[in-house]
């Protein structure tokens, strides 16, 4: 290619670049003109105002549904409370077991609230079938994540079926917590300890552990260990203790109370005392008799020795 042809190509490229730059310059100048800027701002403001108007119209149109939802919610709460009250009174009238009563009331309450939620969703115009499908997936995921809660629910069912304890029973669980059963719920059993503390035990753990039920028995045995001095007469001490036990009407004579030597300890002869009483008299009898036995032994001059140890000091002279 000759030099003239190269110069012509370069000139054409320069001319095209110049035309392009001039076109861009004109576009920018037109964009920054006051009238064009004003038109752009007006258009954006109008779009924003139209969006607000659409939102306000939708909100106004949905007011009847919102009001209806609130009214349905209030009426639903009232109806649920009324139904639960009627069912509770029927349970009491027919003497339904208290343990089963609380468990069934929890399930019925849960079902009624689910029905109320579905009615509210349907009132808002949403598809209940789609929501139920989504809920089933959510329930499955939650069930996998909350396997412990499901085991507690199953434990509650087992407790109600096999009845190792009931509402009002005094029990002790495997962890050593004892108290009176107040309520057997869907997931937890609530206890009130003797010191007034509220304890919630998972049903799953209760159903799969050792439970001591102190209310299923008619009588209960209490036991003391008392030491007397080696110089005291064992028969006299046994006779005094036995008289205290037989003179108290709360102590049952069948099985017969027992007083026997349990151990020849370092500082005392240890006597074991066993007697039976009704379960409702257990604590009062156990606490009162311990004081009475101590007073009776004191009157007879029989000592209850405290631990003691003899020490022999050997001097250097004694060694010689």
């Amino acid at each position: 290619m000759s030099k003239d042809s190269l110069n012509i190509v370069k000139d054409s490229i320069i001319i095209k670049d110049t035309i392009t730059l001039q076109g861009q310059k004109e576009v920018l100048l037109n964009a920054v003109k006051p009238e064009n800027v004003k038109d752009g701002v007006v258009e954006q403001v109008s779009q924003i105002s139209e969006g607000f108007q659409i939102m306000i119209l939708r909100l106004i149109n949905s007011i009847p549904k919102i009001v209806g939802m609130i009214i349905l919610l209030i009426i639903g709460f009232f109806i649920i409370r009324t139904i639960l009250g009627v069912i509770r009174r029927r349970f009491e009238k027919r003497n339904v077991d208290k343990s089963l009563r609380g468990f069934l009331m929890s399930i019925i309450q849960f079902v009624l609230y689910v029905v109320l939620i579905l009615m509210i969703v349907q009132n808002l115009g949403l598809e209940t079938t789609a929501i139920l499908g989504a809920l089933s997936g959510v329930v499955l995921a939650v069930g996998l994540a909350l396997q412990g809660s499901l085991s507690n629910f199953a434990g509650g069912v087992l407790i109600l079926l096999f009845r190792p304890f009931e509402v009002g029973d005094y029990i002790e669980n495997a962890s050593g917590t004892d108290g009176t059963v107040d309520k057997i719920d869907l997931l937890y059993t609530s206890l009130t300890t003797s010191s007034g503390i509220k304890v919630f035990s998972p049903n799953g753990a209760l159903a799969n552990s050792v439970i001591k039920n102190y209310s299923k028995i008619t009588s209960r045995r209490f036991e003391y260990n008392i030491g007397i001095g080696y110089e005291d007469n064992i028969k006299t001490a046994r006779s005094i203790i036995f008289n205290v036990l037989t003179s108290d009407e709360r102590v049952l004579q069948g099985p017969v109370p027992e007083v026997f030597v349990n151990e020849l300890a370092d500082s005392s002869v240890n006597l074991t005392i066993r007697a039976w009483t009704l379960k409702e008299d257990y604590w009062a009898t156990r606490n009162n008799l311990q004081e009475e036995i101590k007073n009776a032994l004191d009157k007879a001059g029989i000592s209850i020795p405290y631990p003691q140890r003899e020490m022999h000091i050997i001097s250097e002279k004694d060694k010689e």
Side-chain angles (χ1 to χ4, degrees):
M1 186 179 290
S2 62
K3 291 184 178 179
D4 294 334
S5 299
L6 289 173
N7 291 331
I8 291 170
V9 173
K10 289 181 180 179
D11 292 339
S12 63
I13 293 172
I14 292 170
I15 291 169
K16 287 180 181 179
D17 292 340
T18 305
I19 293 171
T20 303
L21 291 173
Q22 287 179 353
Q24 292 177 354
K25 183 178 180 181
E26 290 178 359
V27 172
L28 291 173
L29 290 174
N30 289 329
V32 298
K33 284 181 180 181
E35 58 272 15
N36 293 336
V37 173
K38 182 178 180 181
D39 293 338
V41 172
V42 170
E43 184 179 357
Q44 291 181 358
V45 171
S46 63
Q47 290 178 356
I48 293 173
S49 63
E50 287 178 1
F52 274 116
Q53 289 176 3
I54 293 172
M55 290 177 60
I56 292 171
L57 288 174
R58 288 180 179 176
L59 182 61
I60 292 173
N61 292 331
S62 62
I63 285 177
K65 291 184 178 181
I66 295 174
V67 173
M69 181 189 69
I70 295 173
I71 294 173
L72 181 61
L73 193 64
I74 295 172
I75 295 174
F77 281 145
F78 176 76
I79 292 175
I80 289 174
R81 290 182 62 182
T82 303
I83 293 173
L84 293 176
V86 171
I87 294 173
R88 188 178 293 109
R89 286 192 293 272
R90 294 292 294 176
F91 282 167
E92 292 175 355
K93 187 176 181 181
R94 297 194 175 188
N95 293 323
V96 178
D97 184 76
K98 290 183 179 180
S99 306
L100 185 62
R101 193 185 306 176
F103 193 82
L104 290 178
M105 288 296 295
S106 299
I107 295 177
I108 293 171
Q109 185 177 6
F110 175 77
V111 172
L112 290 175
Y113 278 119
V114 169
V115 172
L116 177 61
I117 292 172
L118 292 177
M119 291 176 63
I120 292 173
V121 169
Q122 190 174 8
N123 185 60
L124 291 174
L126 301 175
E127 290 292 335
T128 55
T129 55
I131 292 174
L132 287 175
L135 280 176
S136 62
V138 171
V139 168
L140 179 60
V142 171
L144 293 174
L146 301 177
Q147 294 181 8
S149 298
L150 292 177
S151 67
N152 289 337
F153 178 79
V157 174
L158 292 175
I159 289 171
L160 291 174
L161 286 176
F162 296 102
R163 297 181 180 277
F165 59 85
E166 301 174 2
V167 173
D169 288 353
Y170 190 86
I171 66 171
E172 181 180 349
N173 58 24
S175 61
T177 303
D178 58 339
T180 303
V181 179
D182 292 330
K183 186 178 180 182
I184 303 173
D185 218 327
L186 287 175
L187 303 178
Y188 292 90
T189 294
S190 58
L191 309 173
T192 301
T193 64
S194 56
S195 57
I197 299 174
K198 201 80 169 178
V199 178
F200 295 90
S201 296
N203 289 336
L206 282 177
N208 294 296
S209 65
V210 177
I211 300 171
K212 295 180 181 179
N213 193 327
Y214 297 100
S215 298
K216 295 294 185 183
I217 57 176
T218 57
S219 58
R220 188 175 173 186
R221 190 188 74 181
F222 58 88
E223 181 176 316
Y224 309 124
N225 287 313
I226 296 178
I228 62 173
Y230 272 95
E231 64 278 5
D232 295 318
N233 190 292
I234 296 176
K235 290 183 178 181
T236 303
R238 290 180 67 251
S239 177
I240 293 171
I241 296 172
F242 196 80
N243 288 335
V244 173
L245 295 176
T246 54
S247 61
D248 195 312
E249 296 179 354
R250 296 170 298 182
V251 177
L252 301 178
Q253 300 307 311
V256 178
E258 296 178 283
V259 182
F260 57 90
V261 176
N262 181 41
E263 182 185 11
L264 299 176
D266 294 337
S267 304
S268 63
V269 177
N270 292 336
L271 302 178
T272 294
I273 304 164
R274 293 175 181 171
W276 290 77
T277 183
L278 296 177
K279 64 179 181 180
E280 56 269 18
D281 297 332
Y282 174 78
W283 290 108
T285 306
R286 179 184 181 277
N287 296 335
N288 293 341
L289 283 180
Q290 193 163 2
E291 181 179 351
E292 291 180 12
I293 291 172
K294 171 65 168 61
N295 292 333
L297 292 175
D298 288 343
K299 288 181 180 179
I302 296 176
S303 62
I304 300 178
Y306 50 85
Q308 51 187 311
R309 182 167 297 180
E310 293 184 2
M311 297 180 64
H312 298 275
I313 301 174
I314 302 175
S315 63
E316 293 295 331
K317 286 184 178 182
D318 295 333
K319 289 182 178 181
E320 293 177 357

